[in-house]
Amino acid sequence: MNAPMTPKFVETDLDSISDFDGKVAVFMSPTGQIGLPARRVNKLMKRSLIRLSESKTFDDMPNAGCHVMSMPNGMAASAVIVIKMPKRVTIDDARAAGASLAKIAAGDDVLLLTGTGKRASEIAFAFTLRQYEFHDHKTSDAIGAGQLTVMANDAAEAETDYADKGAIAEGVFFTRDLVNEPANILTTKEFAKRLHDLEAHGLKVKTLEEADMEKLGMHSLLGVGQGSESPSKIVIMEWNGGGDEQPFALVGKGVVFDTGGISLKPAGGMEDMTMDMGGAGVVAGVMKTLAMRKAKANVVGLVGLVENMPDANAQRPGDVVKSMKGDTIEVINTDAEGRLVLADVLWYAQETYKPTGVIDLATLTGAIIIGLGHENAGVFSNNDELSRKFLNAANIEREGAWRMPLGDAYDKLIKSRIADIKNVGGRAAGSITAAQFLQRFIKEDMPWIHLDIAGVASVKTETDFAPKGATGWGVRALDRYIADNHEAE
Ligand code: BES
Ligand code: MN
Ligand code: ZN
């Protein structure tokens, strides 16, 4: 398990700068202006910063770009990192600078001299997010997270600003660890255990076991897991930080490994299906964040944990199962299992909690990767207002999200000859017919969003705030959505 580094915030002390033996970072405005702490560095370095400000190198640097000056004269530091920062710092600039700093630091300690600079907490947040490393199964030494020390004129204010962001970083790291974990370790049992451990942060956590689901008639979900040695589970995490209002519900697909079942997937790339619990991972991360920052909202997170395996007891193509809702489903393809899991969890969530709205997250279709690549999650919704609010939060957090259509013409594609509905609709519009399937299990007036995160949950190249692998996509956007729309000021 990987805990995020906690930045230190200290009052400006010019005399201590020369002794710091990690890397020292300073700001310079695009016109070459520097604050008091950077002037001290410039003096120690015999005017090197001023020379840089007059150079073409500096001219060519983008805003929030960094220039590294190695082994500076007159300082114990191994490098001085100059960040070109406009006077008015946007969140994007601050986070871009923080992420670059983390990469340049490469595990070394960093002293960031902000002076009166604003958005110190945003820089520290991005620095922390970018330092993530999943090293749990390597026997060599980890690069490790370097300590960030932010030196500011109002250190106490910066530290207060950082508190909630620290809770978000905890949630993001929790999600990334879950998504990166291989399936022989993160079984349904281990997943449930890690979620129950969240009780330490004040969440109420309970599990529905197979016998409970049997009684509730959840044969859609149970059918998916019946070929696995690992028991299927639904884990429910309640955060009651609000008043007596009904909760908002987050629902996640937690297929700990997706072989495809009897409709077996090809060998090439099957190992990636360890991330098929990505939706559940995001729900878990958001719940952890809400608890750690003591959000003034009522939110319930429900995750369906199953393993999709081929086996003598596995579900067959052509089987017909009855969902908790009562609708019957013809299972044309056992590899379209995520929707079968979500059908019962979504219905249970609405029946039990009467939520004010539902957002589900799932690595649901390969088709969404064909459509949107790895830049955007697919957003499917029956409610324009909810969509607008979510898309706004995702945009501020720079987590790509793009609205996709729903409609009756697509719904027709999942009509079954022998049951109420079938679990695939053919090749055309594969992500939309999957969403239409889910909508069959959403009550008439329930505001709902389905997020297809197959392309964004885990990626093969590094992103702005994460190395290769699990991104934690959605934790920041969902936390912001809850903060902005469900918490009284
Ligand atoms: N877990 C997969 C979707 C997926 C694909 C996630 C690639 C991440 C990366 C899902 O269960 C699945 O297998 N979907 C099928 C549906 C098809 C059988 C209708 C697919 O997308 O091929
Ligand atoms: Mn599948
Ligand atoms: Zn799947």
Side-chain angles (χ1 to χ4, degrees):
M1 303 264 232
N2 299 282
M5 173 272 304
T6 304
K8 284 189 198 141
F9 294 87
V10 300
E11 297 292 325
T12 300
D13 171 13
L14 298 181
D15 291 336
S16 70
I17 295 171
S18 60
D19 292 336
F20 183 80
D21 66 359
K23 290 169 176 160
V24 172
V26 298
F27 294 128
M28 189 177 277
S29 81
T31 54
Q33 285 170 292
I34 52 178
L36 218 51
R39 266 182 252 161
R40 170 62 66 94
V41 171
N42 182 53
K43 194 170 151 200
L44 291 165
M45 290 176 75
K46 301 202 166 53
R47 297 191 81 250
S48 295
L49 291 192
I50 298 299
R51 280 189 61 203
L52 175 70
S53 73
E54 293 161 356
S55 69
K56 182 166 180 328
T57 307
F58 186 71
D59 269 356
D60 291 347
M61 276 164 64
N63 281 347
C66 297
H67 179 78
V68 182
M69 304 169 98
S70 291
M71 303 304 163
N73 240 319
M75 297 175 71
S78 64
V80 168
I81 305 164
V82 179
I83 309 165
K84 188 174 188 173
M85 199 58 115
K87 280 265 163 60
R88 284 200 46 188
V89 185
T90 63
I91 294 182
D92 287 341
D93 283 342
R95 290 190 179 177
S100 308
L101 271 184
K103 280 185 71 177
I104 294 166
D108 286 348
D109 294 343
V110 171
L111 175 65
L112 173 65
L113 309 176
T114 66
T116 55
K118 292 274 178 273
R119 304 236 193 248
S121 68
E122 292 288 359
I123 299 173
F125 180 48
F127 186 102
T128 305
L129 289 178
R130 189 61 188 77
Q131 275 204 113
Y132 176 83
E133 189 188 5
F134 187 68
H135 197 273
D136 298 17
H137 305 297
K138 286 194 190 259
T139 53
S140 61
D141 288 339
I143 295 174
Q147 176 64 48
L148 174 66
T149 303
V150 179
M151 191 184 275
N153 292 356
D154 197 340
E157 187 187 328
E159 185 158 21
T160 306
D161 282 356
Y162 189 78
D164 283 358
K165 296 187 177 78
I168 301 171
E170 292 276 358
V172 171
F173 276 40
F174 187 52
T175 300
R176 289 178 184 171
D177 278 356
L178 289 168
V179 172
N180 279 327
E181 201 71 280
N184 60 329
I185 296 192
L186 194 73
T187 58
T188 56
K189 280 186 189 165
E190 172 65 15
F191 203 151
K193 182 194 160 295
R194 291 192 191 185
L195 298 184
H196 275 272
D197 288 347
L198 292 177
E199 282 175 338
H201 298 288
L203 287 161
K204 238 169 86 186
V205 184
K206 57 187 175 198
T207 297
L208 298 183
E209 303 292 351
E210 285 181 350
D212 304 316
M213 294 189 266
E214 209 57 76
K215 280 192 205 121
L216 289 161
M218 296 181 160
H219 299 289
S220 182
L221 183 152
L222 286 168
V224 175
Q226 75 189 28
S228 170
E229 286 290 321
S230 289
S232 300
K233 293 170 187 286
I234 292 177
V235 179
I236 303 159
M237 295 155 275
E238 291 176 26
W239 175 252
N240 296 310
D244 50 15
E245 74 274 17
Q246 295 302 114
F248 192 84
L250 301 174
V251 172
K253 167 181 173 179
V255 176
V256 294
F257 195 76
D258 181 13
T259 64
I262 297 299
S263 312
L264 194 64
K265 286 183 182 294
M270 199 201 279
E271 70 279 7
D272 293 340
M273 287 302 117
T274 55
M275 55 71 102
D276 209 20
M277 33 54 66
V282 175
V283 172
V286 176
M287 296 309 296
K288 180 168 186 176
T289 291
L290 294 175
M292 290 192 75
R293 68 173 183 79
K294 305 221 178 323
K296 292 189 178 59
N298 295 340
V299 181
V300 59
L302 306 97
V303 296
L305 307 180
V306 304
E307 186 181 38
N308 189 19
M309 295 291 268
D311 176 83
N313 194 41
Q315 171 157 272
R316 290 158 290 258
D319 282 4
V320 173
V321 292
K322 192 173 207 147
S323 64
M324 178 186 174
K325 180 187 173 193
D327 288 4
T328 56
I329 304 162
E330 183 186 8
V331 180
I332 299 290
N333 189 320
T334 64
D335 197 13
E337 85 295 342
R339 63 200 77 179
L340 297 173
V341 172
L342 288 174
D344 280 337
V345 186
L346 285 169
W347 195 255
Y348 177 83
Q350 295 166 93
E351 286 280 290
T352 311
Y353 291 94
K354 309 269 182 271
T356 57
V358 181
I359 297 181
D360 78 70
L361 297 102
T363 49
L364 203 64
T365 67
I368 202 69
I369 309 177
I370 305 301
L372 299 176
H374 300 285
E375 308 305 320
N376 287 287
V379 179
F380 301 83
S381 180
N382 61 0
N383 188 295
D384 290 344
E385 192 189 336
L386 179 60
S387 300
R388 186 178 51 72
K389 288 173 173 170
F390 175 76
L391 287 167
N392 184 50
N395 181 45
I396 294 171
E397 292 300 331
R398 299 291 183 237
E399 291 185 313
W402 197 263
R403 182 107 184 244
M404 301 284 286
L406 290 167
D408 288 345
Y410 298 111
D411 190 70
K412 286 206 180 72
L413 300 174
I414 51 173
K415 282 194 171 150
S416 163
R417 180 177 61 84
I418 62 167
D420 296 333
I421 183 177
K422 59 183 178 182
N423 79 329
V424 294
R427 264 174 64 81
S431 302
I432 307 175
T433 52
Q436 291 293 159
F437 183 97
L438 298 181
Q439 194 173 7
R440 293 277 191 125
F441 299 89
I442 296 296
K443 295 189 177 188
E444 194 60 27
D445 295 317
M446 180 60 64
W448 161 73
I449 295 178
H450 156 58
L451 298 171
D452 193 335
I453 62 169
V456 295
S458 181
V459 295
K460 305 243 182 259
T461 53
E462 63 175 296
T463 51
D464 289 349
F465 304 118
K468 292 175 192 174
T471 60
W473 183 98
V475 175
R476 300 193 324 260
L478 286 166
D479 179 70
R480 183 176 286 275
Y481 165 76
I482 297 292
D484 290 352
N485 298 286
H486 296 274
E487 290 184 58
E489 271 302 310

